[in-house]
Amino acid sequence: MTQKPLPEGLHRDTLAVHAAIEKSQYGENSEALYLTSSFVQPNAETAARRFAMEEDGFTYTRVGNPTVSSMELRLAALEGTEAAIATSSGMAAILLLGMGLLRAGDHVVCSQSVFGSTIRLFAGEFSKFGISTTFVSQTDVSEWAAAMRPNTKLLFAETPTNPLTDICDIQALADLAHNAGAHLAVDNCFCSPALQQPKRFGADFIIHSGTKYLDGQGRVMAGAICCSRKHVDDLFLPITRTAGMVLSPFNAWVVLKGMETLGIRMQAQSERALALAQWLEQHPAVQRVYYPGLPSHPQHALAMRQQAASGRGLGAAVVSFDVRGVDPVTLRRNAFAAIDAVRVCSITTNLGDAKTTISHPASTSHGRLTEDQRSAAGIGQGLIRLAVGLEYIEDLKTDLALGLDHLA
Ligand SMILES: *Cc1c(COP(=O)(O)O)cnc(C)c1O
């Protein structure tokens, strides 16, 4: 169907609803789901040109699919990058980043506070292929600078981090990378482009786990890298079409539709998270609250500046807190008691869902670390993480009070 192109300069909230490839000849208003593995060619000559990449046109879903293209186009529009490339999961996006950018002998500098599987991917899997990684403090830029080597090709950060919500200065890291001829990648999973657009601060690659807020209802796995068109075409597409860590069209469609409500969800979930963080800070059973939207957060000002893409400066939806206790055994018992008392929150480690999730990082997401590694990371036995969803705020307070009031 011939349709008028979208006007220039539309707001992110409008693009979240409208950015997509052309409608089909049927003029569907909701984007179509092309659940097909291959595409019929008009004739052998056209097929030959398309397989040789001399002509646009879909051939096989490992190489490209219209629903996946719409999801990529919409996400790139939200992040403000030229292009995006979708992957089967967030971890597959980071794998693709490394495969596209790095060679044996290259060096990476990475925050020590990134997602646990990301640490294992760099420290374990990539090291098998001759790529070395130095892990540094999330917040101390001088540590990043000191770790740079002549062969450093990539700086990798995530902000805010899981579960302590530490913030890194994206602009400072981008400057450091670019002055050394390296690139900066930022995992933007926690804020999503509704709250933070790392490209504005100089990030070259923005990583997404679409599994989280982009889907928004905890249904599918998905991932993506947002970057320049040239990087997608030259570095990443040749790998996905060969190695095959592509996103299923069905999952792409779920995420595509999820992004339509991203802005209002991030707003509503951030507001609930702030209200809950303020309430927790006053609770006698709570030792400390970690939330970038609170003035007590060590990088509150930086977080509000970086997380201002919404125009509102929101703290995002993950809140962590320490319950009180005198020693690790008591702390763990108190944290477990607080978690086990809930009736509304789900005891699970996923985040980005409309349902609030509650978890104990020291025994789950960070359970494979030693006690020493955990205390270096600031993750004590009394720490509880909440990924706040869309429930009525008073119901969430009542739910958490079930356990906390007994500890007070
Ligand atoms: C979940 C997550 C990932 C990995 O994404 P998957 O889709 O689970 O593979 C990467 N980074 C962050 C910050 C995450 O929370």
Side-chain angles (χ1 to χ4, degrees):
M1 188 177 125
T2 46
Q3 66 195 99
K4 294 181 196 157
L6 291 173
E8 294 288 314
L10 292 174
H11 188 272
R12 176 174 346 96
D13 290 351
T14 309
L15 293 170
V17 179
H18 287 282
I21 65 160
E22 274 182 16
K23 297 184 194 308
S24 80
Q25 69 270 35
Y26 302 116
E28 65 282 352
N29 193 34
S30 176
E31 292 75 20
L33 167 53
Y34 292 95
L35 204 53
T36 177
S37 36
S38 75
F39 299 82
V40 177
Q41 305 301 308
N43 51 55
E45 188 55 42
T46 308
R49 282 198 304 273
R50 288 179 180 173
F51 273 84
M53 296 287 195
E54 291 162 8
E55 176 185 308
D56 283 344
F58 294 101
T59 54
Y60 188 61
T61 285
R62 173 156 40 74
V63 183
N65 175 285
T67 309
V68 177
S69 294
S70 280
M71 181 269 183
E72 293 168 336
L73 222 145
R74 185 166 291 177
L75 182 59
L78 295 185
E79 282 290 2
T81 57
E82 279 173 10
I85 182 159
T87 54
S88 52
S89 68
M91 290 319 301
I94 304 174
L95 172 66
L96 176 62
L97 177 78
M99 286 179 76
L101 210 59
L102 304 172
R103 304 273 174 286
D106 286 348
H107 176 247
V108 178
V109 183
C110 183
S111 163
Q112 66 196 10
S113 311
V114 296
F115 192 62
S117 299
T118 307
I119 292 187
R120 280 189 289 277
L121 183 62
F122 280 108
E125 306 308 324
F126 285 151
S127 76
K128 289 196 277 193
F129 300 99
I131 294 158
S132 58
T133 302
T134 308
F135 294 94
V136 294
S137 152
Q138 167 79 357
T139 50
D140 183 355
V141 182
S142 68
E143 262 194 45
W144 292 74
M148 299 294 287
R149 299 181 196 162
N151 58 339
T152 303
K153 292 285 158 53
L154 175 67
L155 277 64
F156 191 100
E158 179 186 313
T159 184
T161 58
N162 180 30
L164 295 177
T165 72
D166 283 333
I167 309 291
C168 67
D169 186 333
I170 301 173
Q171 180 80 60
L173 296 182
D175 291 346
L176 187 64
H178 298 157
N179 288 336
H183 289 105
L184 172 66
V186 175
D187 184 330
N188 200 26
C189 180
F190 268 50
C191 277
S192 91
L195 301 189
Q196 172 172 274
Q197 294 167 306
K199 168 127 189 314
R200 291 181 186 226
F201 304 102
D204 305 288
F205 302 100
I206 295 111
I207 306 295
H208 274 289
S209 166
T211 316
K212 312 293 168 55
Y213 294 99
L214 301 183
D215 169 355
Q217 294 176 58
R219 297 164 292 191
V220 298
M221 306 288 301
I225 305 174
C226 302
C227 57
S228 69
R229 164 63 45 206
K230 189 171 162 41
H231 279 139
V232 166
D233 290 347
D234 296 354
L235 289 184
F236 302 133
L237 258 182
I239 297 173
T240 51
R241 70 179 296 198
T242 306
M245 63 282 253
V246 294
L247 183 59
S248 122
F250 180 80
N251 290 6
W253 182 78
V254 171
V255 173
L256 178 73
K257 303 308 290 179
M259 280 191 277
E260 295 185 358
T261 53
L262 179 66
I264 55 166
R265 280 189 284 106
M266 291 312 290
Q267 164 92 35
Q269 288 174 241
S270 295
E271 285 168 2
R272 283 162 176 71
L274 177 61
L276 221 45
Q278 288 166 335
W279 176 80
L280 285 165
E281 226 175 17
Q282 304 300 322
H283 198 287
V286 173
Q287 174 81 36
R288 179 170 173 191
V289 180
Y290 307 82
Y291 183 64
L294 288 178
S296 60
H297 189 283
Q299 298 103 32
H300 175 64
L302 174 62
M304 292 301 99
R305 184 152 45 80
Q306 273 181 180
Q307 298 175 199
S310 61
R312 298 171 192 105
L314 296 167
V318 173
V319 180
S320 294
F321 61 98
D322 285 314
V323 294
R324 288 188 196 277
V326 287
D327 55 63
V329 174
T330 321
L331 286 167
R332 186 181 177 108
R333 196 174 56 225
N334 287 350
F336 278 23
I339 292 170
D340 288 344
V342 299
R343 310 266 299 271
V344 174
C345 298
S346 310
I347 305 176
T348 179
T349 55
N350 194 26
L351 61 105
D353 201 317
K355 295 180 172 71
T356 296
T357 64
I358 187 166
S359 62
H360 182 250
S363 61
T364 57
S365 54
H366 296 69
R368 281 190 270 178
L369 301 181
T370 64
E371 196 66 46
D372 281 352
Q373 286 172 322
R374 259 197 305 273
S375 49
I379 296 163
Q381 292 292 342
L383 187 73
I384 293 176
R385 190 198 75 183
L386 294 169
V388 182
L390 287 169
E391 297 93 341
Y392 185 61
I393 183 67
E394 297 306 325
D395 289 340
L396 290 175
K397 288 181 192 168
T398 306
D399 202 41
L400 290 167
L402 289 175
L404 289 177
D405 286 355
H406 286 288
L407 301 177

